[in-house]
Amino acid sequence: AFTCALLNSQPMGFYAPAQLVRDARDRGVEVRPISVNHSLWDCTLEPRADGSLALRLGFRQIKGLRQEDAGWIAAARGNGYPDVESLWRRAGIAPDTLERLAEADAFAALGLTRRDALWAAKALKAPAPLPLFGPDGEGGREPAVSLPQMTLGQEVIEDYLSLRLSLRAHPVELLRPRLPESLPHDRLGAATGRVTVTGLVITRQRPGTASGVIFLTLEDETGSANIVVWKKVYETFRKAVIAGRLIRVTGRLQRDGPVTHLLAEHVEDLSPLLATLGRPVMIDSNDGRADETKRPVGGSLRPAARHPREQAKKLFPSRDFH
């Protein structure tokens, strides 16, 4: 319930939606995806068969979706929508809104893949339903097509582009085979000496009383790691520390009670690796808020390329310098 309330109050707080959902799932909470047949504007709680509650993500998580359209979708669905066209006709929403729903994989409960749903949405060009030309009028149905399946990496990238989070996999989990030297974060508690870790930067802090020391929090598929970057190390690796979204840090472990810190000695920006999960694509600039990214973008859905570091910066925004 607390996670649900935090998600419904975004933008706010120290952590972005991806970290809130990740923490809830790590603690045994079932998080259910956005669905045109189940979701409301806000995230909601749904009963489970065992008597506990599951968290259903709401339409508010979809970048660019209007609350008014979400209201019409919920009001008109009755016993559920059987396909994309039925939602268009009954809810009366514009085709571009259907595309946003498809890009968010909100039609999965109908048995449609992201690409199948987007294909169906793009076939509806009129701004409002025209019954005369529907399947019940004088129109006909297009022949079925077989679209190539998206890779897991492409699906994860599309999730982050549309929702700012993914329930499928963590990006570092997909890149793990290419990071043999990096220790998973959940093993830091038992490690000693000098180690290397790699993760998404989820927070950067530079307290005014810390004499130039920067604190980073990295996240991989197993948990988080606390990184301490001393002033001299920061001056050497400033660009990676400031701009990196996926970074590799080598340093020595230090423990203070139950808390483990990694004192950075070498910092490397691996953000371009994130672009290999899907096709490099154009990502518009945002308004500077840490938990916002401008859509739309996707491995298979949007054109044109920009530098992979810029892509990573918008795909995986961090909370910078609180």
Side-chain angles (χ1 to χ4, degrees), residues 8-9 11 29 32 84 91 114 124 133 143 156 159 165 192 204 261:
N8 290 339
S9 301
V29 175
R32 296 174 177 174
V84 175
R114 185 180 253 120
L124 304 172
F133 298 102
V156 169
D159 288 342
L165 58 88
T192 58
R204 290 179 175 88
H261 293 91

Side-chain angles (χ1 to χ4, degrees), residues 13-15 202-208 290 318-322:
F14 195 68
Y15 294 108
I202 59 175
T203 63
R204 290 179 175 88
Q205 300 176 72
R206 183 163 49 189
S318 61
R319 302 294 180 123
D320 291 342
F321 300 112
H322 286 257

Side-chain angles (χ1 to χ4, degrees), residues 80-303:
Y81 300 108
D83 51 39
V84 175
E85 185 172 354
S86 67
L87 189 152
W88 178 59
R89 292 182 176 279
R90 285 156 57 180
I93 60 178
D96 66 335
T97 301
L98 293 177
E99 292 184 21
R100 293 180 190 273
L101 292 167
E103 290 172 352
D105 206 20
F107 292 100
L110 282 57
L112 295 174
T113 67
R114 185 180 253 120
R115 280 180 172 165
D116 289 335
L118 188 62
W119 181 273
K122 285 184 176 294
L124 304 172
K125 299 297 184 182
L130 300 175
L132 178 63
F133 298 102
D136 299 327
E138 297 179 5
R141 294 188 180 275
E142 289 189 359
V145 296
S146 179
L147 300 174
Q149 294 295 311
M150 297 176 69
T151 66
L152 178 58
Q154 288 174 329
E155 293 278 15
V156 169
I157 289 295
E158 290 296 332
D159 288 342
Y160 272 93
L161 287 165
S162 182
L163 308 174
R164 296 169 291 179
L165 58 88
S166 178
L167 301 181
R168 288 181 168 86
H170 194 280
V172 179
E173 179 182 358
L174 303 179
L175 296 172
R176 179 64 65 186
R178 286 183 271 177
L179 304 169
E181 76 295 331
S182 295
L183 191 70
H185 296 170
D186 63 351
R187 292 168 54 185
L188 289 175
T192 58
R194 197 167 186 263
V195 300
T196 297
V197 298
T198 301
L200 294 176
V201 180
I202 59 175
T203 63
R204 290 179 175 88
Q205 300 176 72
R206 183 163 49 189
T209 58
S211 301
V213 178
I214 292 178
F215 300 92
L216 306 177
T217 303
L218 304 189
E219 178 190 72
D220 69 3
E221 75 277 22
T222 69
S224 60
N226 302 311
I227 311 297
V228 178
V229 183
W230 295 106
K231 187 174 182 179
K232 288 186 177 180
V233 177
Y234 167 68
E235 291 172 352
T236 303
F237 303 103
R238 182 180 183 278
K239 186 174 181 180
V241 173
I242 293 294
R245 285 308 185 265
L246 176 72
I247 63 174
R248 177 163 54 201
V249 180
T250 299
R252 293 194 174 276
L253 291 171
Q254 182 184 78
R255 289 185 173 84
D256 182 8
V259 179
T260 299
H261 293 91
L262 182 63
L263 306 182
E265 298 173 353
H266 186 275
V267 183
E268 183 180 358
D269 186 1
L270 300 184
S271 299
L273 282 181
L274 295 168
T276 66
L277 298 177
R279 295 186 205 169
V281 290
M282 175 65 76
I283 298 178
D284 297 330
S285 61
N286 67 9
D287 59 7
R289 290 190 298 187
D291 57 353
E292 292 270 348
T293 61
K294 289 288 186 182
R295 69 174 304 283
V297 162
S300 63
L301 308 181
R302 297 290 172 179

